[in-house]
Amino acid sequence: MQEPALSSSDDGSSLDEPNWVSWFCMLRNHEFFCEVDPAFVQDRFNLYGLKELVGPLYSEAMTMILGIAPTEKQLSDPSQRIHKVLDTARILYGLIHARYILTAQGLSDMKAKYRAHEFGACPRTLCEKQTVLPIGLSDSVSPSGENPLKLFCCRCQELYDHNVPGGNYIDGAFFGSTFPHLFLQTFRELRPPPPSCKYVPRVFGFKVYQAQQQQQQQLQQQQQQQ
């Protein structure tokens, strides 16, 4: 007999509990996520192809996402089925989120986070704390954890690791490879000027041999072409 779809409202949840999406976005290290509009989640057009990617718990995961947050009692028992559904819901919401932030409303939501510097700053000194944007190197979820979230600096045009002490793994597919570039095309006024200063290596006050710099530039160009 097939098990009924599991709702996070089972087992004594209160009506005062936050909805699942708000709860998920408030979890530690989830500050980059924005709350996807429920109307977007319920539109089947926006969900095309996700059922095949997520697997057999798709329906239960969707019920969870549209419901309320799980209770501490549910989460405290690792044997409960809710944990399997929760893992699937996390992936499903992440993939929906990646699509949502490419819409006009989603871009606007992420713009508010960008202006509030919620994504952090570029670690490169000469970028003068330029706000970065989340990005994934692949649009596909990696079951083995090989597609971690990265940070893109639109000033130096470089990628950086998203290092959070004790942070949970966040798949880059939950933000996708298109988002930061579409974001900057949409909000051209947020494009920063290129760095005004360039670091010049010196030895005892003298500039490092120019041929060495040219060799490094050629190596970088070859790596970019690959």
Side-chain angles (χ1 to χ4, degrees):
M1 181 178 178
Q2 186 177 3
E3 293 188 66
L6 176 65
S7 171
S8 57
S9 61
D10 294 341
D11 200 12
S13 292
S14 169
L15 294 177
D16 295 331
E17 293 288 335
N19 62 58
W20 188 92
V21 173
S22 296
W23 170 81
F24 178 83
C25 293
M26 289 188 297
L27 291 176
R28 183 182 178 187
N29 301 326
H30 281 198
E31 61 274 6
F32 287 7
F33 288 94
C34 63
E35 295 192 22
V36 178
D37 189 330
F40 184 90
V41 178
Q42 297 179 61
D43 189 333
R44 292 186 178 181
F45 177 80
N46 300 324
L47 308 177
Y48 180 78
L50 295 184
K51 186 174 183 179
E52 290 74 20
L53 293 175
V54 171
L57 295 180
Y58 173 86
S59 296
E60 293 179 73
M62 181 59 69
T63 299
M64 176 177 283
I65 290 173
L66 295 173
I68 63 175
T71 64
E72 292 184 5
K73 182 177 180 180
Q74 289 174 311
L75 296 176
S76 64
D77 184 359
S79 65
Q80 285 207 28
R81 181 178 174 81
I82 190 174
H83 289 279
K84 292 182 179 181
V85 181
L86 185 58
D87 288 340
T88 302
R90 178 182 60 84
I91 295 174
L92 178 57
Y93 183 81
L95 294 175
I96 294 173
H97 180 270
R99 297 182 178 188
Y100 176 72
I101 60 176
L102 301 183
T103 66
Q105 183 59 52
L107 287 167
S108 179
D109 292 347
M110 295 296 273
K111 181 181 180 181
K113 286 181 168 290
Y114 180 86
R115 288 190 177 278
H117 306 288
E118 293 186 23
F119 302 132
C122 179
R124 183 175 179 268
T125 300
L126 297 180
C127 283
E128 301 175 328
K129 299 188 182 302
Q130 169 63 43
T131 303
V132 293
L133 290 163
I135 187 174
L137 298 183
S138 172
D139 295 317
S140 300
V141 175
S142 173
S144 57
E146 297 178 353
N147 183 32
L149 176 68
K150 301 289 184 180
L151 302 175
F152 172 73
C153 176
C154 50
R155 195 164 195 181
C156 64
Q157 302 288 305
E158 293 290 347
L159 292 177
Y160 298 92
D161 291 335
H162 177 48
N163 294 319
V164 179
N168 297 325
Y169 170 79
I170 297 178
D171 202 290
F174 298 166
F175 293 85
S177 59
T178 297
F179 165 67
H181 313 300
L182 180 61
F183 180 89
L184 294 169
Q185 286 185 356
T186 304
F187 306 116
R188 294 178 179 270
E189 72 279 7
L190 297 180
R191 291 183 179 182
S196 57
C197 299
K198 182 178 181 181
Y199 174 71
V200 179
R202 297 175 183 271
V203 175
F204 299 117
F206 297 97
K207 294 181 179 180
V208 175
Y209 188 52
Q210 189 174 6
Q212 183 178 353
Q213 291 181 329
Q214 293 177 346
Q215 185 178 7
Q216 290 177 346
Q217 292 177 353
Q218 291 176 354
L219 180 61
Q220 290 178 350
Q221 292 176 355
Q222 292 176 356
Q223 290 176 343
Q224 292 175 355
Q225 292 174 356
Q226 293 178 352

